[in-house]
């Protein structure tokens, strides 16, 4: 008797649907056998077999989408990929000892009977084994392609032909693959007596491993569920080694005669789960694990059914043949099991998507250059499949962020759930060692290792993925994905084979079932004695089920109506159909609308989702008109009054607006804050562009493209060339059109760039300087006698207006902000504005910590980090576009910048000052608390952040050290950060060694050694981290030094709204939404997994300009200003503190330091900034800090003198 295993000290509340015993006919069609003996059993299945349709549970796509993507692209790539040397060789330990059963019990219980052969009469004797090597044994030799198996010449007999099995015997062919978890063996039955020779395992596997591998196996487990590395040991109970490789092509998955029911019994409900209800009562995490295991189980079963009967000369079988009856017994009436296979497939695809930046350039190398390049290209082709219309949805259908949410039960409860969940997976992994069939163990372990690898990728922070994966895990992941893909593809094939074989000798049975389906929703299978005469008139199709009749089945009206109403009710309760459409369809069904009845009879019983889609489509066009209500088209919108509405006053929106105005266009610009600039005004490092006039630089558009593609980590995409080639024109426009107030006279090199191409001004910060220059030009348009620019600050867009075709025709808006945003005596305003086109340029969502934020929805793990974004960066534009059907792209790709300043005087402030990347670009060095370098400072942001997390996971605080030469190159930044108290200057190395940041072991000598090693590496031209560019060296140890504390911060959202290369927003079918465009950080897909520093401002100018140049102008009102209720918002300059040339004493200045009255001295003049506090891009606090004081030094560190032109001293 098998002992129940204790798994967890705290019961893990997981419930699994009990998978009951299945019928056990072993009949199957036989390839090449032209003589079919009539079977003695009746047809057991309805012709319209139940099939998985509709939504894949716990995922965001349907079965059709999965099967189409698999059929169109994925299966063929995976099949080819598995034939490469890299992916057909795997090292995995098969010698683990079973901890739960002793050998005698294991061997006795785990031995299977041979399958029934329906063609042979019962015989008295057990045949000898068909070949010397058991079908459970492994071929481990070499990499050669497996030769076709041949029968031993001395054995002409089918080894499965003469097995003596009583008709009354209930023993089943319970392979490891079988769905049966119950056995009803006689206590006196000893299968070893008859079948031990069929279940012997292979010779011993060489178990020698290196000392390093042994040390790895003995590492402490990751037990702290609150740490980011908790999931690193997900696969620890599936050990691998480097001394023994198995060729998977020599060991295909097929029937072996092994009975693994005790193993599945332990996995499902003896060992790993406590039964406490049904599937609907499980929590999300429990369902995920159950569906993964069920999907793996289904894949194994399907492959066994595909390759069940071995080659036989007697039966003219030259290859393995399927057992289609076995497949139908298991899945003919259980489509939910196939759906779980779809779910598991989606989970693995999502893990590939998340790991794509690491995998895309991974060297899948075994030393054969040609083969290695071929393998890498195929992997890249697979990873790029998400760009295809038919495949994009399936790579994002599973959302791992829904797992282990702290708000559901609190951190303590979730930590316990994590530990139990991982413990269950570890126990299941251990159970695999109780499989005594080596081939079964091999395939079971590989698929479990593949799923464990996928889960590890999904649950780990992105920065830990690269360092966490081993070659065997990658091989297992790709092989498991290929197995699931092949199983999904094989389901309709097996079902069709079942149908064809039945038709070959029992067509009359099928005809009878088709006729009886009109009288009964679920007719019983006919008995053999009552079968009607044969008929050859039945016609079949496999379009909407495994197989179903076409032009034959007539569904009764009542059945069709009931199915249709049930589908409609379910969709309505789930909120998947608008209330107005639901009303029309309900009324139409009750009134027996002819159109709806026709749809219901042909779609509703078997394809309710398709019925709803077609019915809703008819309702929207007003074609359903027999009910008491009908859908009427909305009234046509008013004619457009302007050429474009620009939502967002950052660099992208301003660039587009100025470009359109220069072409004669009419523009309304909405900005929800009291100032222009958005996050662009905070960008300090510069704008990336190829300067074609500077031939000495060696830079080119191709080089810029290569750098951006490499940084993105996801291969080419059509938006990158638009950015890189467009940067040439963008730089010329900035230097030409804005030359009155902007001078980009400096250029530097930032991380991830192979050439210096980051342009910035020598006075002021790049972003604010560009915003100011554009704003001065816009002011001129706003002051025209009949202005073509309507600037509406403190105004938020609340809805996109569309016509009946779905085209965007305008914007609904409302005034937000302080009382000063509204004219005296007037209530808060709202209204609508109609336009020929709408441009969304609202930035990202990296400052939205609210309950309904996109950050919380897609990256809740990042909520613990501070941000460098201003308070207006809340994803408004994303939500507007998604509401009209736009497609979201890479919304979980949020960039964590490695260097935001940590201010010891204000440690809890959620908004950090960005430490400009130019400081590292000009030679700044990163050191940990022990005074050690740990990364290439010029590496990509995700790389540097990942190294930080590995180096100081608890504190995440690091020192940025700069020498005098570096400080001079970044003089503007150093001055600003020093004034803010974020950078400290130390005159000598001795003083630096006494800095409070360092740990107790840092000394002057240890710092000297670290900097000396850096200088030596600079002379060599490369260091141990791969750094090749060393600017402003040598560091020398004489001083002075400029240092600050930096920490990772949320900085940028690479994900966003899908657009085409022209800037048009795309819907979920990747088709343009008429009238809607997007530019700047709001778009997704351009930067991939990682944005290179300086590309943000480039993106804004390039795409803003491109859209501004492409939109038609002249479509607005011919005369007068737009008919808009304008909110009274304008920036008010400061008034003279004393009026005229009155002298103001410092004693009087001290009275003006609050929000009610804030005066600041700049260049010996007093400015009243009271009414500007709420409009200041950096917030009121930045000005109030200098209230009543002289702010000249800090002002000049950030701004140009022209900034004060709007203020009267």
């Amino acid at each position: 008797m098998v002992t129940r295993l204790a798994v967890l000290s705290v019961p893990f509340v997981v419930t699994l649907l009990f998978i009951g015993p299945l019928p056990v006919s072993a009949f199957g069609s036989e390839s090449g056998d032209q003589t079919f003996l009539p079977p003695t059993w009746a047809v057991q299945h309805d012709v319209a077999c139940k099939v998985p349709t509709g939504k894949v549970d716990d995922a965001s796509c349907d079965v059709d989408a999965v099967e189409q993507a698999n059929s169109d692209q994925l299966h063929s790539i995976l099949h080819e990929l598995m034939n490469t040397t890299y992916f057909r060789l795997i090292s995995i330990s098969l010698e683990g000892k079973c901890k739960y059963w002793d050998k005698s019990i294991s061997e006795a219980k785990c031995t299977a009977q041979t399958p029934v052969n329906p063609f042979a009469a019962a015989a008295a004797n057990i045949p000898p084994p068909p070949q010397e090597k058991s079908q459970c044994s492994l071929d481990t030799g070499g990499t050669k392609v497996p030769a076709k198996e041949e029968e031993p010449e001395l054995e002409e007999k089918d080894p499965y032909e003469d097995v003596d099995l009583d008709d009354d015997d209930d023993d089943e062919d319970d392979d490891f693959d079988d769905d049966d978890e119950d056995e009803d063996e006689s206590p006196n039955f000893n299968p070893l007596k008859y079948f031990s020779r069929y279940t012997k395992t292979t010779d011993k596997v060489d178990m020698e491993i290196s000392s390093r591998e042994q040390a790895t196996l003995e590492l402490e487990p990751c037990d702290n569920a609150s740490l980011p590395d908790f999931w690193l040991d997900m696969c620890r109970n599936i050990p691998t080694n480097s001394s023994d490789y198995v060729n998977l092509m020599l060991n295909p998955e097929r029937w072996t005669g092994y009975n693994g029911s005790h193993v599945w019994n332990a996995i499902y409900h003896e060992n790993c789960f406590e039964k406490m209800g049904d599937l609907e009562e499980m929590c999300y995490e429990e369902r995920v694990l159950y569906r993964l295991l069920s999907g793996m189980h289904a894949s194994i079963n399907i492959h066994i059914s595909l390759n069940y009967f071995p080659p036989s000369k007697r039966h003219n079988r030259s290859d393995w043949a399927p057992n289609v009856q076995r497949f139908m017994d298991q899945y003919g009436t259980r489509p939910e099991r196939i759906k779980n296979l779809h779910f598991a497939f989606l989970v693995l695809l999502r893990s590939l998507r998340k790991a794509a930046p690491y995998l895309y350039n991974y060297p899948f190398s075994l030393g054969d250059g040609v083969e290695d390049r071929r393998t890498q290209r195929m992997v890249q082709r697979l990873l790029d499949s998400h760009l295809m219309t038919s495949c994009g949805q399936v790579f994002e259908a599973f959302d791992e962020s829904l797992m282990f949410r702290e708000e559901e039960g609190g951190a303590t409860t979730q930590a316990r759930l994590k530990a139990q969940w991982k413990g269950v997976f570890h126990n299941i992994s251990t159970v695999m060692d109780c499989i005594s069939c080596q081939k079964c163990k091999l395939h079971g372990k590989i698929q479990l290792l593949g799923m464990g690898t996928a889960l590890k990728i999904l649950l780990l922070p992105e920065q830990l993925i690269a360092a966490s994966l081993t070659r065997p895990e990658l091989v297992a992941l790709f092989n498991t994905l290929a197995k699931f893909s092949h199983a999904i593809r094989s389901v309709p094939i097996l079902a069709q084979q079942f149908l064809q074989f039945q038709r070959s000798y029992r067509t009359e049975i099928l005809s009878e079932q088709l006729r009886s389906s009109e009288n009964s929703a679920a007719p019983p299978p006919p008995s053999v004695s009552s079968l009607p005469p044969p008929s050859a008139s039945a016609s079949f199709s496999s379009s909407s089920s495994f197989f179903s009749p076409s032009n034959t089945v007539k569904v009764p009206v009542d059945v069709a109506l009931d199915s249709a109403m049930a589908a409609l009710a379910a969709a309505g309760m789930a909120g998947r159909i608008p209330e107005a459409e639901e009303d029309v369809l309900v009324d139409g069904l009750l009134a027996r609308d002819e159109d709806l009845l026709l749809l219901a009879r042909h779609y509703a019983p078997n394809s309710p989702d398709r019925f709803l889609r077609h019915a809703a489509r008819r309702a929207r066009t007003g074609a359903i008109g027999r009910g008491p209500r009908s859908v009427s088209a909305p009234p046509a919108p008013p004619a457009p009054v302007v050429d474009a509405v620009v939502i967002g006053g950052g660099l992208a929106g301003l660039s587009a607006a100025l470009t359109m105005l220069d072409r004669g266009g009419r523009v309304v610009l909405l900005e929800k804050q009291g100032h222009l600039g958005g996050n662009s005004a905070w960008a300090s490092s510069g704008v990336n562009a190829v300067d074609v006039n500077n031939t000495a630089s060696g830079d080119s558009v191709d080089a810029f493209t290569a750098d951006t593609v490499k940084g993105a980590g996801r291969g080419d995409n059509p938006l990158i060339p638009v950015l890189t080639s467009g940067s040439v024109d963008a730089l010329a426009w900035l230097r030409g059109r804005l030359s009155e107030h902007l001078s980009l006279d400096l250029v530097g090199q930032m991380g991830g760039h192979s050439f210096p191409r980051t342009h910035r001004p020598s006075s002021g910060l790049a972003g604010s300087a560009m915003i100011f220059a554009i704003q001065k030009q816009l002011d001129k348009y706003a002051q025209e006698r009949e202005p073509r620019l309507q600037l509406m600050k403190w105004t938020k867009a609340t809805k996109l207006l569309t016509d009946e075709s779905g085209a965007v025709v305008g914007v609904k808006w409302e005034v937000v902000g302080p009382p000063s945003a509204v004219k005296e005596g007037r209530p808060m305003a709202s209204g609508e504005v109609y336009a020929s086109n709408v441009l969304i340029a609202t930035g990202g969502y990296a400052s939205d910590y609210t309950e309904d934020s996109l950050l919380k929805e897609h990256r809740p793990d990042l909520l613990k980090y501070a941000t460098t974004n201003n308070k207006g960066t809340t994803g408004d534009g994303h939500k507007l576009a998604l509401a009209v059907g736009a497609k979201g792209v890479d919304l979980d790709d949020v960039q964590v910048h490695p260097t935001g300043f940590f201010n010891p005087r204000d440690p809890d402030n959620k908004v950090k000052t960005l430490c400009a990347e130019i400081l590292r670009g000009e030679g700044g060095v990163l050191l940990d608390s022990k005074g050690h370098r740990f990364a290439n400072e010029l590496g990509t942001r995700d790389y540097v952040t990942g190294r930080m997390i590995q180096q100081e996971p608890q504190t995440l605080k690091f020192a940025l050290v700069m020498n005098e030469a570096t400080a001079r190159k970044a003089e503007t930044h150093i001055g600003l950060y020093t004034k803010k108290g974020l950078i400290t200057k130390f005159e000598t190395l001795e003083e630096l060694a006494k800095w409070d940041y360092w740990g107790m072991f840092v000394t002057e000598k240890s710092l000297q050694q670290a900097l000396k090693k850096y200088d030596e590496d600079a002379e060599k031209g490369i260091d141990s981290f791969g750094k090749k560019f060393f600017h402003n060296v040598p560091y020398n140890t004489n001083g002075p030094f400029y240092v600050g504390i930096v920490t990772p911060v949320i900085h940028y959202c690479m994900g966003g709204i899908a657009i085409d290369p022209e800037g048009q927003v795309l819907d979920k079918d990747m088709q343009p939404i008429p009238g809607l465009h997007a530019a700047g950080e709001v778009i997704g897909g351009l930067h991939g997994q990682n944005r290179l520093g300086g590309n943000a401002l480039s993106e804004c100018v390039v795409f803003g300009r491109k859209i501004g140049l492409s939109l038609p102008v002249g479509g607005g009102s011919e005369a007068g200003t737009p008919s808009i209720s304008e909110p009274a918002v304008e920036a008010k300059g400061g008034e003279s503190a004393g009026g005229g040339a009155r002298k103001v004493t410092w004693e009087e200045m001290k009275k003006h330091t609050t929000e009610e009255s804030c005066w600041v001295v700049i260049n010996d003049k007093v400015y009243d900034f009271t009414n500007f506090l709420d409009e200041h891009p950096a917030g009121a606090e930045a000005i109030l800090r200098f209230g009543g004081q002289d702010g000249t030094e800090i002002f000049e560190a950030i701004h140009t003198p022209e900034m004060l032109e709007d203020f009267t001293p």
Side-chain angles (χ1 to χ4, degrees), residues 905-1035:
R905 295 175 300 179
D906 190 14
D908 298 324
N909 195 327
K910 200 70 172 176
V911 178
K912 305 292 186 188
T913 299
L914 178 68
C915 176
E917 205 155 23
I918 200 67
L919 299 188
R920 286 181 284 129
E922 293 292 358
V925 174
L926 287 171
L927 302 177
D928 64 14
S929 61
K930 302 179 183 63
H932 300 150
R933 284 186 69 227
F934 56 89
N936 173 6
E937 290 85 358
L938 295 183
T940 58
R941 291 172 177 177
D942 60 338
Y943 157 78
V944 178
T945 301
R947 294 293 297 165
M948 285 178 158
I949 292 173
Q950 290 177 337
Q951 197 76 6
E952 300 272 8
Q954 301 300 324
T955 65
L956 287 177
K957 296 182 183 67
F958 303 85
L960 178 64
V961 180
M962 293 155 286
N963 62 5
E964 182 70 12
T966 298
R968 283 198 302 268
K969 285 288 187 178
E971 183 177 3
T972 300
H973 295 80
I974 295 295
L976 167 63
Y977 299 146
T978 301
K979 294 302 178 184
K980 286 188 172 185
L982 302 173
I983 281 184
T984 303
K985 180 180 179 180
F986 293 102
E987 293 295 342
T988 66
L989 193 64
E990 180 182 5
E991 291 181 10
L992 177 59
K994 297 176 181 178
W995 187 28
D996 292 341
Y997 165 76
W998 303 119
M1000 60 184 296
F1001 300 108
V1002 174
T1003 64
E1004 180 181 0
K1005 183 177 180 180
S1006 65
L1007 289 177
Q1008 188 176 38
Q1009 290 174 342
L1011 296 178
K1012 181 180 179 182
K1013 177 68 166 59
Y1014 182 75
D1015 287 341
E1016 291 172 353
D1017 290 337
E1019 288 185 11
K1020 293 187 296 184
I1022 192 168
D1023 66 7
S1024 59
F1025 305 107
K1027 187 172 185 176
K1028 298 178 181 179
F1029 301 101
F1030 300 82
H1031 300 294
N1032 297 306
V1033 289
Y1035 247 71

Side-chain angles (χ1 to χ4, degrees), residues 116-136:
V116 176
N117 186 333
F119 304 108
N125 299 318
I126 303 298
Q131 48 192 342
E132 290 227 355
K133 186 156 54 175
S134 163
Q135 292 182 41
C136 294

Side-chain angles (χ1 to χ4, degrees), residues 49-82:
C49 178
K50 294 182 180 179
V51 296
T53 59
K55 183 178 179 294
V56 178
D57 296 326
D58 292 318
S60 62
C61 73
D62 57 27
V63 170
D64 287 345
V66 176
E67 294 185 348
Q68 181 180 352
N70 191 47
S71 175
D72 288 354
Q73 178 87 348
L74 303 179
H75 182 268
S76 60
I77 299 176
L78 287 165
H79 176 73
E80 187 176 359
L81 201 55
M82 292 311 102

Side-chain angles (χ1 to χ4, degrees), residues 668-732:
V668 171
L669 194 153
L670 308 180
E671 170 54 57
K672 75 173 182 178
Q673 299 190 87
H675 57 83
L676 299 178
N679 278 329
S680 304
W682 292 20
S684 59
S685 294
V687 56
N688 293 334
V690 176
D691 186 353
V692 294
N693 296 316
N694 182 12
T695 56
S697 71
D699 197 12
S700 66
V701 171
D702 288 343
F704 190 10
T705 301
D707 289 343
T708 304
V709 169
K710 182 179 180 181
R714 288 182 178 155
D716 295 331
N717 74 65
L719 299 182
I720 290 179
V722 177
L723 172 71
T724 54
S725 62
S727 72
V728 177
D729 169 76
L731 182 61

Side-chain angles (χ1 to χ4, degrees), residues 255 382 813:
W255 189 85
L382 177 65
W813 55 265

